[in-house]
Amino acid sequence: MKLRYFIPMFVAALTLMVSCSEDFDPTYLSEVKVSQSFVSLPANGGSVEIELKAKDSWTITDIPEWLSVAPAQGGAGDSKVIVTAGPATDTQTGYFTINCAGKTQRVDIIQMTKKADLPISTCAEVIAGDDGKTFKVRGTVTRIANTVYGNWYLQDETGEVYIYGTLDKSGMDGQNNSIAAWGLEVGDIVTVEGPKTTYNGTVELVNVTVVNIEKSLIKVDSLDIANNTLPLEGGDFKAVLQNKGNGISVIIPDEAKSWLHVTGVDIKGTTSIVSFHADENAGGDRATTITFTTTSGGKVYSSEAAVTQFGAILEVPVADFLAAEVGDTQYRMTGVITELYESDKQGKSFYIQDYSGKALVYRAEGFIEAGAKVGDIVTVVGKRGAYKDNPQMVSGTFESLNYAVTAVSIAEFLTKEDSKNTYYMVTGTVKDLLSSAGKENDYGNLHITDGTNELYVYGCYPGYGATGDARKGFIKAAGIEEGDLLTVIGYKDTYNGLVELCGGIYFSHEKAK
């Protein structure tokens, strides 16, 4: 069973904050874990045993009338729950919920009977149909998203449907590489049958049975560029196709027509060579998908080739990254790690903050190896992505650990050597909001104390990278007052005998009680 269905969408929305539903580690909730959250029962009835681990007492609710679940309650520790259904004449679907420590784990149930000979529906009819209903639909494979589980897109003249999971030839699902087993390729015309669901607004047919495959008459054999990726400076390349249809059409999406051009088509028998030119890329990374079509017997057959072109990496403050569109453009950001993203079980995700804002960096390669921690000043590179409309950096790389920041007390800071390349994190109570000359100021010059020792902070700015007017007025805007507990990052310097924490980067503060 594919991982996403271990955590149904309603439970995920209410109880989990994860960034990628399909690659989430299936450990379920910390309060209650089940050995499986999708149960399939035979048409003639039967039972399935579910192992349950709970940190507190639990109860089971929302049990369908045609199902029995025993026991329906229990205590902390390991338990076994038996799910039983009698014989069924029609396919039945439902779910029950396990409630533990204020959290809810949903378990989905299906009892599948013999399939009826369904009529062919259009994609539009599937989209408008009821969730849980089984449809048979015929269309063209436009894109393959996951070869292991068999996730792909099917399109006809009325719309497009996402196929989430394809059963293999023996009717089994799971990590079965069903795409290779069926020999499915982009451009094939395929008839499938399966139940409809809607996940985060996406209409899907789940765990479909392949009824028929009509192989495409056109196929892309190769592109003469490594990894289908063009250099920043652009250049020429060729696509070699095998075509058994009548003629060939090349379709470049509108958004790529300004930089990607067809320069020639050479047809020799069933082999066609299409030549292209890509312009130099002055922006960030960009990508497109070229479609090749042919016709035969009134039918249109197609094949596709994805092309990426490297671009410049745009160095931006966090606010500009958050305001950018989701896409392939590469961005570089520098800031302070404010916290780790605990929902990422791989331990590669964290939040980065500069003077302009804070962003989630999701699974940056090299982060663990760098040994970076909360408070460190780092640089990351990646693409602007989003999860449920929440922006995040994806496909990222942990580029550098600029400064490893050491947390010290005020007393310890006062003993350190002066160095503009060594950063410390210091916490103290705001004694006053005055400069060393005793004057109010716009730059956040202030004194903090631990009750015994006092430290002069020469500038407390909204975050890393603040310059010019961006450094002004932060103390007032943040509502920092005398008596508040302030944590700030900076380096040690001495001026006219006065020890100073300079280049102060705001980290956090707590209001005085």
Side-chain angles (χ1 to χ4, degrees):
M1 184 54 59
K2 294 172 294 302
L3 301 188
R4 197 192 70 197
Y5 281 87
F6 281 106
I7 305 175
M9 60 180 174
F10 299 113
V11 178
L14 292 172
T15 64
L16 296 171
M17 290 184 66
V18 299
S19 290
C20 293
S21 60
E22 292 189 7
D23 62 358
F24 186 73
D25 186 7
T27 53
Y28 318 109
L29 305 174
S30 60
E31 292 79 7
V32 57
K33 301 179 182 181
V34 291
S35 57
Q36 60 189 102
S37 64
F38 190 100
V39 175
S40 179
L41 294 166
N44 58 354
S47 299
V48 171
E49 180 181 273
I50 297 176
E51 296 178 4
L52 184 152
K53 295 179 182 291
K55 288 189 175 181
D56 204 342
S57 60
W58 52 271
T59 59
I60 296 179
T61 58
D62 305 319
I63 302 172
E65 293 182 357
W66 54 275
L67 198 68
S68 68
V69 181
Q73 60 184 10
D78 297 347
S79 304
K80 293 183 178 179
V81 174
I82 306 299
V83 181
T84 305
T89 56
D90 296 307
T91 294
Q92 303 184 105
T93 60
Y95 68 90
F96 61 82
T97 53
I98 304 171
N99 311 285
C100 179
K103 301 293 185 179
T104 302
Q105 170 68 55
R106 171 168 157 162
V107 178
D108 286 274
I109 311 293
I110 185 170
Q111 186 177 24
M112 184 74 74
T113 59
K114 185 177 179 181
K115 297 177 182 177
D117 187 14
L118 297 173
I120 296 289
S121 299
T122 64
C123 287
E125 290 170 336
V126 174
I127 293 168
D130 296 329
D131 281 2
K133 182 179 178 180
T134 298
F135 290 88
K136 181 187 289 185
V137 61
R138 179 177 183 270
T140 302
V141 180
T142 57
R143 181 160 62 93
I144 295 174
N146 185 301
T147 58
V148 175
Y149 295 123
N151 302 346
W152 49 282
Y153 291 84
L154 180 147
Q155 185 180 73
D156 65 8
E157 64 277 5
T158 69
E160 185 175 67
V161 173
Y162 184 42
I163 305 299
Y164 189 80
T166 304
L167 303 183
D168 63 21
K169 293 183 179 181
S170 64
M172 297 296 292
D173 68 345
Q175 299 186 38
N176 55 7
N177 293 295
S178 56
I179 295 296
W182 285 105
L184 285 179
E185 299 174 293
V186 171
D188 291 347
I189 298 175
V190 184
T191 303
V192 296
E193 183 177 322
K196 179 205 169 184
T197 189
T198 304
Y199 183 80
N200 286 341
T202 300
V203 172
E204 305 174 348
L205 292 182
V206 182
N207 290 339
V208 300
T209 298
V210 176
V211 178
N212 183 63
I213 301 174
E214 185 177 347
K215 297 299 293 181
S216 178
L217 297 183
I218 189 170
K219 178 182 178 181
V220 177
D221 268 356
S222 63
L223 294 180
D224 63 351
I225 48 176
N227 300 317
N228 289 15
T229 302
L230 294 157
L232 182 148
E233 59 270 19
D236 300 319
F237 67 97
K238 296 178 180 180
V240 179
L241 301 96
Q242 295 300 317
N243 179 20
K244 298 179 181 178
N246 300 316
I248 184 172
S249 295
V250 183
I251 303 171
I252 296 175
D254 289 342
E255 63 272 15
K257 288 179 178 179
S258 63
W259 60 273
L260 184 62
H261 321 281
V262 177
T263 58
V265 178
D266 184 16
I267 300 176
K268 296 180 180 179
T270 59
T271 301
S272 299
I273 300 176
V274 183
S275 299
F276 297 89
H277 176 78
D279 296 338
E280 182 177 358
N281 187 5
D285 288 5
R286 57 191 180 191
T288 193
T289 299
I290 307 167
T291 302
F292 305 91
T293 66
T294 190
T295 60
S296 179
K299 297 179 182 178
V300 178
Y301 298 86
S302 65
S303 187
E304 295 180 345
V307 175
T308 299
Q309 185 179 21
F310 289 131
I313 299 175
L314 305 182
E315 191 163 343
V316 297
V318 171
D320 288 359
F321 172 81
L322 296 174
E325 295 183 356
V326 173
D328 291 320
T329 299
Q330 294 277 341
Y331 296 92
R332 176 181 286 114
M333 297 188 294
T334 299
V336 175
I337 298 176
T338 59
E339 61 180 301
L340 303 180
Y341 183 57
E342 299 295 344
S343 293
D344 175 18
K345 302 305 180 182
Q346 293 186 18
K348 300 178 181 179
S349 303
F350 55 92
Y351 288 91
I352 186 173
Q353 180 170 306
D354 69 0
Y355 72 95
S356 68
K358 182 169 73 171
L360 171 62
V361 179
Y362 187 71
R363 292 186 177 172
E365 293 302 323
F367 172 63
I368 295 175
E369 293 79 0
K373 64 185 184 305
V374 170
D376 288 347
I377 301 170
V378 303
T379 298
V380 292
V381 173
K383 300 177 181 179
R384 167 67 158 83
Y387 179 70
K388 294 184 178 178
D389 296 326
N390 296 316
Q392 58 184 235
M393 176 174 278
V394 297
S395 303
T397 300
F398 187 87
E399 188 171 75
S400 63
L401 172 56
N402 302 346
Y403 299 102
V405 176
T406 304
V408 297
S409 66
I410 293 177
E412 291 170 328
F413 182 87
L414 294 172
T415 67
K416 300 298 183 181
E417 294 183 0
D418 289 2
S419 174
K420 295 183 179 181
N421 296 315
T422 305
Y423 279 74
Y424 300 95
M425 178 185 291
V426 184
T427 300
T429 301
V430 177
K431 181 182 178 182
D432 59 55
L433 301 173
L434 303 173
S435 71
S436 60
K439 298 180 179 180
E440 294 184 356
N441 60 93
D442 291 331
Y443 291 97
N445 300 344
L446 53 87
H447 294 83
I448 59 174
T449 179
D450 60 9
T452 302
N453 302 284
E454 183 176 302
L455 175 63
Y456 180 50
V457 178
Y458 184 59
C460 181
Y461 310 136
Y464 182 86
T467 59
D469 288 343
R471 299 181 301 169
K472 293 182 178 180
F474 170 70
I475 296 297
K476 183 177 181 180
I480 298 173
E481 300 173 313
E482 291 182 12
D484 291 353
L485 192 66
L486 175 66
T487 298
V488 62
I489 296 170
Y491 61 87
K492 180 178 178 288
D493 200 2
T494 304
Y495 181 74
N496 287 340
L498 176 64
V499 174
E500 301 175 341
L501 185 148
C502 298
I505 301 168
Y506 170 82
F507 186 79
S508 67
H509 78 280
E510 298 177 17
K511 297 298 295 180
K513 296 180 180 179

